């Protein structure tokens, strides 16, 4: 959703203005998508033509109860950049209530082009969450194939799916966080959970068995391998929006399995940065070591942070840097907040021997922000920040970036929710 904390609750659309800026990104054009909330570019693993290799998916959700929500697809997006205004997305599915992130499934899971759509939110009559699989090898995509159980999971909503072999059977399983928040009685709840891949023909015919790892994690997370003196370990890092806690999980099982909960450990990295919105593990200062890029979300004063990961994440100190601050919703109202999810990318996709750039969805501050490192020095986390899009009092959703036409430069896709537009940029200026 508008990344998520506010699109569902800000039901009254505010007025908006559109400003686009020159400089580091060049606007190629905009095309219509009603209620554009999330964008994601997924790869066709069986295509060799650069302009046919990628597909753009856009999640669209309407806060009015009983309305239909959509996931749209622009197949072969790289072949459409010459006439962006003429792009007419096709409906990929209407079966997911309040679709959130679209996530690519690793090719090794099904050996074909598959993606997940996560759904549900705390909006009246749209709380029924689910995770569905779509086969985008053809147009329109085949499916959906639901892996969550409709009866037992209907109160939960889901936002992101990632993949990891959790029980050591050689098959990647679906890992996610889920949340619920009763409208009247009771407080919010969250769970870190995984769904067991049954393998074979059953994987697309039946729901998958669920395994709850812990309570508290609720919306966004990342999975990464981190070094320890005893070797690398798989870790799950969770951004707790309701729990207001940034946590890291790992397993002490000698074979790296997560199916024995007594061996799953948790450590709090930070619980003093308000509602933790999103987290990405990536090398931000080009020193060969991963860092955590983290956003908090607040109506009045929120920030973006970098945490340096210590040599042993289990015991060492995570050094925190504030890289941008004073984010706030441009208008008042229940559920308003800023900023949203960050995106780390390289403007020239093959020039990775430098620090990457950061694109940040401003969420209800109505902007898309571009942050560029001020120097190439290791350990220097200072950035310049410019606005590449300003939609006024509207909401900017989740941004995607990829070189979709093979020219060596990243294309950027920014959804304007209230506008009903997706803006397309290139870093080739």
């Amino acid at each position: 959703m508008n990344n998520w904390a506010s699109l569902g609750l800000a039901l009254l659309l505010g007025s908006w203005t559109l400003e686009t800026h020159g400089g580091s990104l060049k606007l190629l054009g905009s095309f219509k998508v009603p209620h554009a909330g999330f964008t994601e570019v997924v790869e066709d693993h069986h295509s060799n033509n650069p302009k046919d290799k990628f597909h753009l998916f856009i999640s669209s959700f309407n806060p009015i109860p009983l309305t239909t929500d959509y996931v749209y697809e622009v197949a072969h997006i790289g072949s459409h950049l010459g006439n962006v205004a003429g792009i007419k997305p096709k409906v990929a599915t209407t079966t997911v209530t309040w679709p959130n992130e679209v996530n690519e499934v690793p090719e090794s899971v099904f050996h074909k082009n598959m993606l997940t759509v996560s759904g549900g939110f705390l909006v009246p009559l749209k709380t029924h969450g689910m995770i569905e699989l779509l086969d985008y090898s053809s147009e329109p995509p085949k499916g959906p194939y639901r892996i969550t159980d409709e009866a037992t999971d209907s109160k939960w909503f889901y936002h992101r799916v990632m993949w990891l072999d959790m029980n050591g059977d050689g098959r990647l399983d679906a890992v996610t966080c889920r949340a619920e928040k009763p409208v009247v009685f009771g407080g919010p709840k969250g769970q870190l959970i995984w769904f067991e891949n049954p393998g074979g023909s059953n994987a697309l015919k039946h729901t998958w068995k669920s395994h709850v790892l812990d309570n508290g994690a609720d919306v966004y997370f990342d999975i990464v391998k981190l070094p320890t003196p005893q070797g690398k370990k798989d870790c799950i890092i969770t951004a707790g929006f309701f729990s207001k806690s940034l946590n890291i999980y790992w397993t002490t099982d000698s074979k790296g399995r997560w199916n024995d909960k007594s061996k799953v450990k948790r450590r709090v990295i930070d619980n003093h940065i308000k509602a933790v919105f999103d987290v990405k593990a990536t090398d931000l200062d080009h020193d060969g070591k991963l860092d955590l890029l983290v956003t908090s979300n607040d109506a009045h004063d929120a920030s973006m942070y970098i945490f340096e990961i210590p040599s042993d994440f289990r015991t060492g100190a995570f050094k925190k840097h504030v890289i941008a601050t004073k984010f706030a919703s441009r208008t008042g109202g229940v559920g308003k907040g800023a900023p949203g999810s960050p995106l780390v990318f390289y403007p020239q996709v093959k020039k990775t021997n430098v620090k990457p750039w950061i694109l940040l969805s401003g969420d209800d501050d109505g902007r898309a922000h571009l942050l560029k490192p001020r120097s190439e020095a290791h350990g220097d986390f200072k950035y310049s920040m410019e606005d590449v899009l300003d939609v006024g009092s509207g909401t900017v959703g989740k941004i995607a970036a990829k070189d979709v036409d093979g020219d060596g430069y990243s294309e950027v896709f920014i959804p304007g929710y209230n506008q009903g537009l997706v803006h397309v940029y290139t870093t080739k200026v």
Side-chain angles (χ1 to χ4, degrees):
M1 32 159 279
N2 89 280
N3 288 296
W4 90 282
S6 57
L7 278 189
L9 300 178
L11 304 186
L12 297 178
L13 304 183
S15 62
W16 58 269
T17 59
L18 171 63
E19 297 178 16
T20 56
H21 302 269
S24 302
L25 297 180
K26 176 184 176 182
L27 181 66
L28 296 178
S30 308
F31 63 95
K32 294 179 180 180
V33 181
H35 304 110
F38 291 81
T39 59
E40 188 66 40
V41 176
V42 301
E43 183 175 355
D44 181 348
H45 298 281
H46 305 281
S47 173
N48 295 319
N49 185 336
K51 292 187 177 182
D52 291 340
K53 197 172 182 61
F54 297 99
H55 304 262
L56 175 68
F57 286 87
I58 307 109
S59 298
S60 165
F61 37 83
N62 191 330
I64 299 175
L66 302 179
T67 53
T68 300
D69 299 318
Y70 298 85
V71 176
Y72 293 98
E73 178 187 17
V74 182
H76 318 300
I77 180 63
S79 64
H80 296 281
L81 300 183
N83 181 22
V84 172
I87 292 176
K88 291 180 170 51
K90 296 182 179 179
V91 175
T93 184
T94 60
T95 62
V96 180
T97 300
W98 199 277
N100 296 304
E101 279 195 356
V102 171
N103 299 120
E104 187 175 340
V105 178
E107 170 75 3
S108 61
V109 179
F110 297 105
H111 305 291
K112 55 183 176 180
N113 297 323
M114 299 288 290
L115 56 82
T116 57
V117 182
S118 308
F121 194 53
L122 51 122
V123 176
L125 301 181
K126 299 215 172 185
T127 57
H128 190 149
M130 64 196 71
I131 298 172
E132 291 190 344
L133 293 160
L134 291 176
D135 177 356
Y136 63 94
S137 301
S138 60
E139 298 178 49
K142 297 177 184 176
Y145 311 99
R146 187 168 298 179
I147 67 173
T148 50
D149 185 279
E150 186 163 351
T152 59
D153 295 339
S154 61
K155 65 180 180 178
W156 300 100
F157 55 85
Y158 300 84
H159 274 76
R160 174 176 294 164
V161 176
M162 301 185 76
W163 295 82
L164 185 65
D165 182 359
M166 300 294 281
N167 55 2
D169 65 357
R171 294 190 291 264
L172 295 180
D173 304 295
V175 182
T176 187
C177 292
R178 63 185 186 183
E180 65 161 315
K181 190 176 186 298
V183 177
V184 181
F185 299 107
K189 298 177 182 177
Q191 291 182 336
L192 175 60
I193 185 173
W194 61 282
F195 291 87
E196 184 175 345
N197 180 358
S201 59
N202 288 329
L204 298 180
K205 293 180 179 178
H206 304 287
T207 57
W208 295 10
K209 183 179 180 180
S210 61
H211 305 267
V212 176
L213 286 177
D214 194 24
N215 294 314
D218 43 43
V219 184
Y220 291 123
F221 66 101
D222 201 0
I223 297 177
V224 66
K225 283 186 179 292
L226 294 179
T228 73
Q230 292 77 38
K232 287 190 174 182
K233 289 185 174 292
D234 288 315
C235 298
I236 304 172
I237 305 163
T238 61
F241 185 88
F242 294 116
S243 61
K244 296 181 172 58
S245 185
L246 177 68
N247 295 344
I248 186 167
Y249 293 84
W250 69 97
T251 177
T252 60
D253 182 85
S254 61
K255 295 184 178 180
R257 295 169 298 195
W258 295 72
N259 51 342
D260 184 348
K261 286 177 61 175
S262 68
K263 295 181 179 179
V264 176
K265 305 301 178 183
R266 178 185 67 182
R267 182 186 178 195
V268 175
I269 298 173
D270 195 297
N271 55 6
H272 300 289
I273 56 174
K274 300 183 178 180
V276 190
F277 194 93
D278 206 348
V279 56
K280 311 283 186 184
T282 187
D283 182 1
L284 289 158
D285 64 338
H286 194 57
D287 66 351
K289 296 181 290 187
L290 293 175
D291 310 290
L292 299 181
L293 180 62
V294 179
T295 53
S296 63
N297 184 281
D298 189 74
H300 306 292
D301 185 8
S303 302
M304 182 159 61
Y305 307 87
I306 290 175
F307 289 82
E308 294 184 68
I309 301 174
S311 57
D312 191 337
F313 65 86
R314 300 168 297 183
T315 57
F318 286 77
K319 185 177 180 181
K320 179 169 65 176
H321 305 267
V322 181
I323 62 171
T325 191
K326 302 299 181 183
F327 293 103
S329 173
R330 194 172 289 188
T331 59
V334 177
K336 294 284 188 176
S341 289
L343 173 72
V344 179
F345 76 111
Y346 290 94
Q348 297 183 53
V349 296
K350 293 183 178 179
K351 191 177 180 181
T352 59
N353 60 340
V354 295
K355 294 180 181 180
W357 292 3
I358 301 169
L359 271 164
L360 176 65
S361 164
D363 200 353
D364 288 319
D365 81 0
R367 302 175 178 92
H369 307 279
L370 176 64
L371 290 88
K372 296 183 289 187
R374 292 180 180 267
S375 82
E376 290 298 320
H378 302 329
D380 183 350
F381 296 105
K382 295 182 178 67
Y383 290 81
S384 64
M385 187 168 74
E386 62 186 87
D387 298 339
V388 295
L389 175 68
D390 188 334
V391 300
S393 60
T395 295
V396 171
K398 185 176 180 291
I399 302 168
K402 186 81 70 174
D403 176 14
V404 298
D405 61 356
D407 68 350
Y409 292 85
S410 291
E411 281 74 43
V412 174
F413 305 89
I414 306 178
Y417 178 80
N418 304 74
Q419 298 172 293
L421 293 174
V422 174
H423 307 283
V424 184
Y425 296 80
T426 177
T427 55
K428 187 178 182 179
V429 297

